[in-house]
Amino acid sequence: MKIPSKISFYGLALAGSTLLISACNATPATSVVAATANTTTAAVAEVAAAAAKQALPLVKVFKDPNCGCCGGWAEHMQAAGFPVQINDTTDMGAVKERLQISDNMMSCHTAEIDGYVVEGHVPVSAIQKLLAERPKARGLVLPGMPIGSPGMESPDGFSRPFTVSLLGEDGSLSEFSKHE
């Protein structure tokens, strides 16, 4: 007895569907699908993190090679996702002169970020605000080395309030942000 080709096709399609459904419900296949989904999710997260890092501008830090607190500030910037380039120099005076940082503004390190100068232990929140608002200015200044500022944390958690100043194009300073 010969089975018509349409019945044969439908019979094979039905058997194939049953086989696929059974394969999809099998535990090993489920594990492979889950593992693939997790791997894909992790890969997407890595790409997103890399894209976010690339979106942040490079922080060029100029510091004395023997300064530990400057390294702490650089780590603070890296923790926020900024790419950081450390430039050790024994002639910080030349760096500050080139960037027109006067004596009353000086700290132990100087950075350049996306066309702005950042002098001292300025918190990342102030830098993010600067980059978001893009004021017509030369940059931000936090003179000295205030206890509790990034890189100058005290082991017992002690800190003092400090104010970050906006360095105007004319060299003037005005309050930019307060930190407690």
Side-chain angles (χ1 to χ4, degrees):
M1 175 167 126
K2 189 170 181 177
I3 300 174
S5 62
K6 282 187 178 180
I7 294 174
S8 197
F9 169 76
Y10 290 122
L12 285 173
L14 180 62
S17 296
T18 304
L19 184 59
L20 285 173
I21 290 169
S22 296
C24 288
N25 290 329
T27 304
T30 304
S31 298
V32 169
V33 169
T36 302
N38 288 341
T39 302
T40 302
T41 302
V44 168
E46 282 182 40
V47 169
K53 267 190 174 178
Q54 288 177 353
L56 293 173
L58 176 66
V59 177
K60 297 177 189 174
V61 181
F62 298 90
K63 69 175 202 63
D64 185 278
N66 300 311
C67 186
C69 65
C70 300
W73 182 81
E75 289 172 4
H76 171 73
M77 296 301 292
Q78 286 174 322
F82 283 86
V84 174
Q85 173 188 329
I86 303 286
N87 300 288
D88 285 330
T89 179
T90 55
D91 192 3
M92 285 300 297
V95 172
K96 293 179 189 307
E97 185 177 324
R98 176 178 63 85
L99 296 170
Q100 301 174 2
I101 301 298
S102 62
D103 291 347
N104 66 326
M105 301 177 206
M106 285 189 190
S107 183
C108 53
H109 64 270
T110 305
E112 291 179 283
I113 307 170
D114 204 25
Y116 289 107
V117 63
V118 175
E119 179 68 15
H121 293 269
V122 176
V124 72
S125 60
I127 295 167
Q128 290 167 330
K129 178 181 173 188
L130 175 78
L131 295 173
E133 294 177 2
R134 306 288 308 172
K136 287 191 176 200
R138 290 187 19 229
L140 298 176
V141 174
L142 180 56
M145 298 161 54
I147 191 82
S149 61
M152 291 298 300
E153 294 89 353
S154 175
D156 64 0
F158 178 76
S159 66
R160 293 189 185 242
F162 57 90
T163 301
V164 173
S165 297
L166 183 68
L167 175 58
E169 291 177 325
D170 62 356
S172 63
L173 295 175
S174 60
E175 184 178 300
F176 185 72
S177 60
K178 288 185 175 269
H179 303 268
E180 305 229 359

